[in-house]
Amino acid sequence: MAVFDTPYQRLEVSYTDSPMGEDDLMVHVPEGSKSPWNHIENLDIFFSRVYNLHQKNGFTCMLIGEMFELLQFIFVVSFTTFLVSCVDYDILFANKMVNHSQSENNKVTLPDAFLPPGVCRDRIQENWFLMVLLVIAGVFWIHRLIKFIYNVCCYWEIYNFYIQALRIPMADLPYYTWEEIQSRIVQIQKEHQICIHKKELSELDVSHRILRFKNYMVAMVNKNLLPLQHRLPLLGDTVFYTRGLKYNFQLIFFWGPGCLFQNEWSLKPEYKRAGVRLELAEKLSQRILWIGLANLVLCPLVLVWQILYAFFSYTEVLRREPGSLGARCWSLYGRCYLRHFNELDHQLQARLSRAYKPASKYMNCFLSPLLAVAAKHLGFLAGSILAVLIALTVYDEDVLAVEHVLSAVTLLGVVVTVCRSFIPDQHLVFCPEQLLRVILAHIHYMPDHWQRSAHRAETRGEFAQLFQYKAVFILEELLSPLLTPLVLIFRLRPKSLEIIDFFRNFTVEVVGVGDTCSFAQMDVRQHGNPAWMSAGKTEASVYQQAEDGKTELSLMHFAITNPRWQPPRECSAFLTHLRERVQKDSGVSTPKNPPGPGHHLHFSGLSMQSDSEPHSLMANMFHVMSPSAMPPHTDVLCSPHVSAVSEVASALRSLSPQQSGHVAQNQSSTM
């Protein structure tokens, strides 16, 4: 067991998200005037369901989708049982002759390989391992069915909320943006008093309710608290973060038995006291151990399900598009690392989708020349043989009846497709620096050492941890049942005290919201980084600062995507200072010396601006920073992080009162 010690210090909170005088407010509503949505006890679940129903395009789409998921589970279990116990593979593979005594047709048909129902039933009953799996699958399906019925009842209330309170018909819901839904929720607070602890709700209140636990996860990844990065022999530095591991983290921290929270909005009181931190850490360590052992016991069952689900999900895709495993996707770690505080799922997905094409082009710049030569010649050999077999098949279709010919054609087609994926496009221009800058405009985060190193294999390897092969994603999910228990027992347990201190130090109580992650307040005074224009405005120590400028960038992102939001005093002062500085410094640039892109904040801002802003990303990309474009100030802008802060003027214009309405209109097309 590691020594339980941590450098974190407790934060003294001096801010709330409430108007003056509302700290201890309790709104009284006469009994006769109460609406059905007055004083909703669990606003976290309520707002999450409102958001989920919007993202799933209405009640009917959500209902049908969940019904098909139940039927899909029955199909996977039933079809797998049928393949294991009800098929005579000797007949299917022509190893045994079929007696057609009553017919002159000796051709073997597919039903000939099916066993009679009685034999099939006996084989199932004799296979005790299969029977155990079927019983567990049945219990799990019944659990899902009960959960489905419960969700239908709960979402019927949300359905009525949309119809009666928000006055949005279900047929029109897919055509409303979430920003419009959120605006109506904020407006009806005065009429329905959804939250009785505050007279008014803000956009940040709604985001805190929906993203309470996700903000904690983003903060723990940002502070490198979770054991996601590993150094392995031969493989070097790797990242392992799967859906199974994520589920276990949430089970341990947030909602499982014995978790740190007593309900969705409140941390248990004992976890707020420093005096019992050692006892709580030991208790958490034991709980992680037991959950890790439970994962180990359930590993065979979960592994079988993962294999079956992957087989049924990806086999048809591979047959249709063999090169799809060579495609890339944003890793689960990348999604958490790149996520802003208080950024909803659809907003994150929109950013990453815009970055997908340049990210793919960037990774394709690093195709191995040696591998390309080998793939070119191997593809030629496989293609030649495939062409001959296809030509013979066209001449006489009986060639397909020859043993293994059809398998050879399929395999050679896969080989040719895979080889083509390793051959670079002859028209591809090697420009990794420019591509990485385009990517940065959307993902908003990148380590400092990537600057001017986009052409290096080390940078490409680190970016591959965020943007991985689809095949690697599938492999990690298949290995997750085996590796998750090891990560929990041997890597997460030693961090028990650090985790306890993290939740105590970085949890604040917000009136009308409850306990939230203090990083999610986006307060530059408490968590700002002096290197990101917070110099002189932050009181945070090194351990209290968010890494990679996440506080500042999250604040910018939230303010731009929610132009009607009124930030707290410190945040408002930061945004005002930043807006005034860039508006002043933007006058320094001339048409002959347009602003350059060599800066994190610049590209982050460019991605968040509306489409009608005068400075486009591509127009700025091919210019370098000129000395005449540098602002004459040295007190705040001396840091390399903010040396080009004047170039974010076009993005920050959307923060001005004159542009607020314009930005709101453009969000429906950009989000």
Side-chain angles (χ1 to χ4, degrees), residues 29-65:
V29 180
E31 191 68 29
S33 62
K34 285 186 177 179
S35 75
W37 298 280
N38 174 258
H39 187 200
I40 297 175
E41 182 178 359
N42 194 331
L43 280 175
D44 287 45
I45 293 180
F46 183 81
F47 285 152
S48 296
R49 287 172 179 162
V50 171
Y51 177 73
N52 291 335
L53 194 64
H54 172 263
Q55 294 301 301
K56 293 181 180 180
N57 299 311
F59 183 79
T60 303
C61 291
M62 185 212 67
L63 182 66
I64 294 176

Side-chain angles (χ1 to χ4, degrees), residues 7 29 42 96 134 185 217 318 367 402 448 519 561 575 626:
V29 180
N42 194 331
K96 183 171 66 175
L134 289 177
I185 293 174
M217 294 296 293
L318 290 178
L367 292 177
V402 178
D448 293 338
F519 288 101
T561 54
L575 292 173
S626 65

Side-chain angles (χ1 to χ4, degrees), residues 25-29 38-39 189 193-198:
L25 178 66
M26 179 74 73
V27 179
H28 174 70
V29 180
N38 174 258
H39 187 200
Q189 162 67 11
Q193 290 301 321
I194 299 175
C195 175
I196 64 171
H197 297 282
K198 303 180 69 173

Side-chain angles (χ1 to χ4, degrees), residues 35 119 167 225 247 388 485 566:
S35 75
V119 177
R167 295 180 175 83
L225 185 60
Y247 176 86
V388 172
Q566 297 296 325

